[in-house]
């Protein structure tokens, strides 16, 4: 009987892909505030790259102050 070398590697790749797909589904469906988790992460990345996070936060604070 020949040894079955490498079989566990294929199984681990399958498990990792399954977990990755589950996390991707959760990121697209789970709401965080007024956005989904995926949208919130994408917004945070774009905000950090542009460097306008403080300006956006100040605009949100001004809207809250005006509302109250």
């Amino acid at each position: 009987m020949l040894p079955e070398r490498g079989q566990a590697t294929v199984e681990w790749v399958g498990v990792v892909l399954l977990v990755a797909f589950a996390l991707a589904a959760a990121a697209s469906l789970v709401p965080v505030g007024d956005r989904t988790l995926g949208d919130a992460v994408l917004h945070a990345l774009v905000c950090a790259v542009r460097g306008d996070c403080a300006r956006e936060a100040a605009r949100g604070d001004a809207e809250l102050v005006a509302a109250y």
Side-chain angles (χ1 to χ4, degrees):
M1 187 167 185
L2 296 174
E4 297 179 6
R5 295 183 60 178
Q7 179 180 359
T9 303
V10 175
E11 292 168 354
W12 274 108
V13 168
V15 169
V16 168
L17 285 175
L18 182 67
V19 169
F21 284 132
L23 290 175
S28 66
L29 299 176
V30 174
V32 176
D34 58 343
R35 304 170 189 218
T36 62
L37 181 60
D39 288 340
V41 170
L42 180 66
H43 180 265
L45 288 173
V46 170
C47 179
V49 169
R50 287 185 183 167
D52 63 353
C53 296
R55 185 174 59 218
E56 225 175 89
R59 186 176 349 141
D61 291 345
E63 290 174 0
L64 285 175
V65 168
Y68 286 104

